[in-house]
Amino acid sequence: QVQLVESGGGLVQAGGSLRLSCAASGSIYSIDAMGWYRQAPGKQRELVAVISRGGSTNYADSVKGRFTISRDNAKNTVYLQMNSLKPEDTAVYYCNARMQVAGTLHLYDYWGQGTQVTVSS
């Protein structure tokens, strides 16, 4: 039906940058909000950043000023530019999108498979 495919994770030194991408594909009628969450070992999944279809954004306090979320509605893709990375940013990053599948009436949350981001000190 629909899927979210993430890319761009990896290993980087503290102070470095990474850019995550997440592309939605399949029988999509519409996409509402898109966002990024992360889960570190032994911790709960937490919101990193979210962006509405119109471009309004919201960030976790821990990443404000360092991370930037953006989206390309024509490509059904959301991005997360991560700068000034810190070891505490190490986690599996998950893409989330609220989407309406073609032929259905409701929006549901969909998740990507996750991509590992590791920041070394």
Side-chain angles (χ1 to χ4, degrees), residues 62-119:
S62 59
V63 307
K64 283 181 181 177
R66 301 188 297 123
F67 291 10
T68 302
I69 189 171
S70 61
R71 65 190 285 175
D72 185 332
N73 291 332
K75 296 181 179 180
N76 291 339
T77 300
V78 62
Y79 306 95
L80 185 68
Q81 178 66 43
M82 304 185 293
N83 298 329
S84 301
L85 282 160
K86 304 175 181 180
E88 50 263 44
D89 294 318
T90 295
V92 178
Y93 283 70
Y94 296 92
C95 173
N96 169 269
R98 177 152 290 194
M99 299 190 287
Q100 182 178 355
V101 175
T104 67
L105 297 177
H106 303 289
L107 293 162
Y108 293 98
D109 281 326
Y110 292 85
W111 294 89
Q113 79 283 1
T115 185
Q116 177 70 46
V117 171
T118 302
V119 184

Side-chain angles (χ1 to χ4, degrees), residues 12-73:
V12 65
Q13 288 188 334
S17 299
L18 283 174
R19 188 189 194 214
L20 305 183
S21 300
C22 172
S25 63
S27 302
I28 300 168
Y29 179 74
S30 68
I31 303 178
D32 192 5
M34 303 183 81
W36 291 93
Y37 291 71
R38 67 186 181 187
Q39 187 166 19
K43 295 187 177 182
Q44 290 188 331
R45 190 174 297 188
E46 63 175 2
L47 173 70
V48 176
V50 63
I51 185 168
S52 71
R53 181 170 181 82
S56 297
T57 59
N58 193 30
Y59 296 91
D61 288 343
S62 59
V63 307
K64 283 181 181 177
R66 301 188 297 123
F67 291 10
T68 302
I69 189 171
S70 61
R71 65 190 285 175
D72 185 332
N73 291 332

